[in-house]
Amino acid sequence: MSEPATTAAPRQRNEFLLVTGNALRFAGRAVTGHPTTLVGTIVFVTIVVLALLAPIIAPYDPVAQSIVNRLQGPSWAHWLGTDYYGRDILSRLLHGARYSLVIGIASISLAVVVGSLIGLVAGYFGGRIDIVIMQAMDVVLAFPALILGIILVAVLGASVTNIIIAIAFTAVPAFARIARAPVMALREREFVQAGRALGFSDLRIMFRHILPNIIPEIIVMASLWMATAVRTEASLAFIGLGIAPPTPTWGGMVREGFENILDSYSVALFPSLAVLVLVLALNLIGDGLRDAIDPKLGSAS
Amino acid sequence: MLGFVLRRLGFAVITLFAVLTLVFFVIRILPGDPTLVILGDQASAQSIALLRERMGLDQPVWLQYLQFLGGALRGDWGTSLVSGRPVIQEVLNVLPHTLELTFVALVLGVVLGLPAGIWAAVNRNRIPDYVTRIVSLLGLSAPAFVSGIVLLLVFSIMLRWFPVISGGQGTTLLDRARDLALPAINLALIMAAYVTRVTRSSMLEVLSQDYVRTAMAKGAPARAVVWRHALRNCLIPVVTVVGLYLGILIGNSVLTEIVFNRPGLGKLIVGALNQRDYTMLQGMMVIYTLIVVLVNLLTDLVYGFIDPRVQYK
């Protein structure tokens, strides 16, 4: 556990803007200071742009079947080849990126909000509340994200919303923990005690004075967990717990391609590499941000 | 020490109880009446009532809950809706395959990851460090099915060194090893990536300590300082993390077993999902809970033995 980001501790009121500015400056330093982070950011932004433009730039309809063109290797007409139903793999990859990104971003946003709230409450009030909450978090955290994801999606049913909820659930304890530790340390700091002496309410102290201080750490954690979220979503789809076909998802494409892997390698290989590249980019960003917050570790994990 | 062991044991029991309770209620929320799943839509009201009685579904929920808890602890997990055989028997049939795979991958991962992490740490910010960092980041970014498919494509389909289907049925030791090789390597690479990163950062932390500087200052050879003074202390976080990642390994073994078509818990759970075998799913949840709780308990205890400071907490 790294030190709380005391460098970002606000001294005046209106801390939020100040600290958000600090967090942005951290991010800026991380991106420009480390070449690997820069690469990660460029790759991630590229994938986001391609996903946004998918309906415009995709050469084919991602669900249009063409039996005569099935299982073709890469060619000028189909840059990455076609799948078992003759659908263009590149077009399906571009559209599939949207689901990976939406599920990754939405699930982690949900986990950040819920997890940080839980951690704030546990850390701020301490005592018995803290023990009960954190024990419950430990129970959830004990489970591998994938196993928990399989169980939850199997129970809830595989829809976009349910997959988002399931993945968010696996990440909540991580954010509760990351929010709790600095809160416990900050609780005793002068600016919080000053706030209490001035008669501010618990809620006001928590949200206006403590929350901004833990934002940098939460951002780091969010980028690393988004990598896990994207990986979990793809893995679930590969197992058969993804959004129902013919909707193109990367994990689902790998699943379909894997069934015909002896006839054509490209159907399984390209979406596999797409997942790898996106997860790697997110991990590179997260690593760089962590170094920026905690420079003494020098990219230690 | 005894107090520490008892506390961890207590926590394990509470966890087990909490998750079993959750599993019980989760199965109750599942859409669809299990009797309809077994008998089909055409079943008569009488046969449904009969089956409900036989499965104990006509009893009050609290009684069902107690029976479920008692059954789960005694190893009576019901019978599979598909094969009709006891769930525990089906699980125990394939469990050795998964344990074999996970254990070999764990050992291989530590054997690969530990030296790599130390190598990176002592060469901090030089080429070996950069190479290990990039390779290990690649390893922990790759979902197990992606690395598995790449290994399968290269070594089984293109080079034909290994069988495409790792049946795990080989009778001779050599056959078994050939079946196990690719899946185990696939899992081990992921494990090695995690171990490398933790070892590196832990070693860096230890190398910056005063006693390491003292050892260096008194003229001890660098090699001796790293291996004799620093290694033991840098192992503490590594052990915790290995225990933590054993869970990730179990999760990834599901994907690995599917890619290499190898029998095990992973194939069992996917089969149960596809065939809506609810009792089997329930049994799978119980077995995964048991494994996870056991692994965590062991990790905690090992941690307590390695790091004497833990006892005083």
Side-chain angles (χ1 to χ4, degrees), chain A residues 133-147:
Chain A
I133 291 180
M134 293 323 285
Q135 290 281 36
M137 292 291 115
D138 279 354
V139 170
V140 181
L141 204 61
F143 278 81
L146 185 59
I147 300 287

Side-chain angles (χ1 to χ4, degrees), chain B residues 73-85:
Chain B
L73 295 178
R74 283 199 315 270
D76 173 13
W77 300 349
T79 50
S80 159
L81 296 186
V82 174
S83 72
R85 277 190 301 228

Side-chain angles (χ1 to χ4, degrees), chain B:
Chain B
M1 193 67 214
L2 188 69
F4 169 73
V5 173
L6 286 180
R7 252 197 321 276
R8 297 322 304 173
L9 216 62
F11 180 64
V13 171
I14 293 173
T15 308
L16 198 61
F17 178 75
V19 178
L20 284 180
T21 307
L22 207 68
V23 166
F24 175 81
F25 287 105
V26 151
I27 295 289
R28 293 299 171 288
I29 322 172
L30 278 176
D33 187 337
T35 51
L36 278 181
V37 177
I38 303 171
L39 298 172
D41 297 336
Q42 311 297 325
S44 68
Q46 280 150 319
S47 52
I48 287 180
L50 205 69
L51 187 68
R52 282 183 70 85
E53 200 186 312
R54 227 183 65 205
M55 291 174 69
L57 291 174
D58 55 340
Q59 282 159 346
V61 174
W62 62 268
L63 199 63
Q64 288 184 43
Y65 173 61
L66 287 183
Q67 279 169 346
F68 166 76
L69 272 189
L73 295 178
R74 283 199 315 270
D76 173 13
W77 300 349
T79 50
S80 159
L81 296 186
V82 174
S83 72
R85 277 190 301 228
V87 168
I88 184 122
Q89 193 189 324
E90 302 248 354
V91 168
L92 289 181
N93 276 346
V94 294
L95 189 61
H97 292 287
T98 301
L99 290 183
E100 179 188 41
L101 173 66
T102 321
F103 181 73
V104 172
L106 177 75
V107 173
L108 214 57
V110 173
V111 167
L112 288 174
L114 208 60
I118 296 172
W119 190 51
V122 290
N123 290 298
R124 187 182 186 184
N125 288 337
R126 273 177 286 174
I127 288 173
D129 190 20
Y130 291 125
V131 171
T132 12
R133 263 155 75 179
I134 291 172
V135 172
S136 63
L137 200 62
L138 203 65
L140 63 99
S141 295
F145 67 89
V146 169
S147 50
I149 284 175
V150 172
L151 286 178
L152 192 74
L153 274 174
V154 174
F155 293 104
S156 290
I157 296 177
M158 282 163 61
L159 296 173
R160 296 180 182 284
W161 288 358
F162 295 99
V164 175
I165 295 174
S166 312
Q169 318 289 3
T171 40
T172 68
L173 203 62
L174 194 71
D175 277 354
R176 276 189 89 85
R178 256 171 64 98
D179 279 349
L180 187 61
L182 271 192
I185 290 170
N186 183 42
L187 268 186
L189 287 178
I190 295 171
M191 190 67 189
Y194 284 104
V195 173
T196 303
R197 282 168 65 92
V198 184
T199 309
R200 177 183 173 276
S201 64
S202 170
M203 196 51 145
L204 283 180
E205 188 92 36
V206 172
L207 287 180
S208 68
Q209 302 283 319
D210 287 343
Y211 67 85
V212 170
R213 200 179 46 196
T214 309
M216 289 288 200
K218 75 170 189 188
R223 186 176 291 267
V225 174
V226 169
W227 290 98
R228 200 170 314 143
H229 299 261
L231 182 63
R232 200 181 134 96
N233 286 299
C234 107
L235 280 183
I236 295 170
V238 176
V239 169
T240 341
V241 155
V242 165
L244 213 66
Y245 292 153
L246 205 53
I248 296 182
L249 215 55
I250 293 164
N252 279 324
S253 70
V254 175
L255 298 168
T256 306
E257 282 166 1
I258 300 172
V259 171
F260 294 99
N261 208 348
R262 190 187 148 82
L265 291 182
K267 285 204 71 183
L268 202 61
I269 198 172
V270 171
L273 280 172
N274 289 339
Q275 295 167 311
R276 310 205 148 273
D277 189 343
Y278 290 143
T279 44
M280 183 63 95
L281 272 181
Q282 183 173 294
M284 301 299 299
M285 292 183 202
V286 175
I287 186 80
Y288 275 121
T289 311
L290 272 175
I291 294 177
V292 167
V293 168
L294 264 180
V295 165
N296 284 334
L297 182 66
L298 280 178
T299 313
D300 279 343
L301 294 182
V302 170
Y303 190 55
F305 279 117
I306 296 188
D307 189 351
R309 285 166 299 183
V310 171
Q311 297 169 27
Y312 300 111
K313 266 210 268 190

